[in-house]
Amino acid sequence: AHDIATCYEISRATLTKLYDELYAARVVLEGTILKPNMVLAGRKSGAVSSPEEVAQKTIKLFREAVPAAVPGIAFLSGGQEDEEATANLNAINAIGPHPWKLTFSYGRALQAAPQKAWSGKASNVAAGQAAFTHRAHMNHLAALGQWKPSLEQAA
């Protein structure tokens, strides 16, 4: 039920502690990948942030808390709907350049549509595969900052 500002503050405190500990342990950051959440309001808050607001808050957080030595950030979908996660990733990449490679490591947001299309039926395997290919391609474009909503209807 948290708002976007609370997500930002808790994420900032968490990342600051993480990188303090990694520095103390002499971890070579160039050999790491961060797998974080995006900065957004919780589902139960009733607030829906635009992809642009999510992008601005997420990048502000990372510029304050994630060292440029970290080569890559692979986002979790964090309960976002499929297209919402894609739109947010796209908005984040569209406001680059960034010192890190930004991509996705979605579970549910990558698999929900294919599982629904498949529905456990052998006759739906091709439909499930097509849904997975589409969602993966949309996220690939978002990782490049090249996704747009009209591409979803083209499928």
Side-chain angles (χ1 to χ4, degrees):
H2 62 275
D3 62 13
I4 195 167
T6 301
C7 181
Y8 176 89
E9 291 303 325
I10 298 300
S11 297
R12 186 170 181 267
T14 301
L15 289 173
T16 299
K17 179 68 172 167
L18 170 69
Y19 286 106
D20 285 349
E21 293 295 326
L22 291 175
Y23 178 76
R26 297 182 177 186
V27 170
V28 178
L29 297 181
E30 292 83 355
T32 67
I33 295 173
L34 179 64
K35 192 170 173 180
N37 58 285
M38 293 176 186
V39 178
L40 47 102
R43 281 271 173 237
K44 294 180 183 176
S45 73
V48 179
S49 302
S50 70
E52 293 74 23
E53 182 181 17
V54 170
Q56 290 168 357
K57 299 264 191 215
T58 301
I59 293 304
K60 181 179 187 295
L61 167 68
F62 290 170
R63 291 200 180 273
E64 291 177 1
V66 179
V70 173
I73 297 173
F75 287 101
L76 299 162
S77 54
Q80 299 174 69
E81 295 298 323
D82 305 2
E83 286 186 39
E84 176 187 13
T86 302
N88 288 338
L89 177 62
N90 185 73
I92 290 167
N93 277 297
I95 61 171
H98 307 296
W100 327 271
K101 172 74 174 157
L102 303 174
T103 192
F104 61 97
S105 176
Y106 298 162
R108 197 221 42 82
L110 188 59
Q111 299 169 9
Q115 287 177 340
K116 183 178 179 182
W118 170 54
S119 298
K121 298 178 184 172
S123 60
N124 293 340
V125 168
Q129 290 171 334
F132 182 81
T133 299
H134 172 73
R135 189 82 263 129
H137 182 64
M138 294 298 100
N139 287 316
H140 165 74
L141 292 174
L144 300 172
Q146 298 174 357
W147 175 87
K148 50 189 173 212
S150 62
L151 295 171
E152 297 291 345
Q153 282 66 11

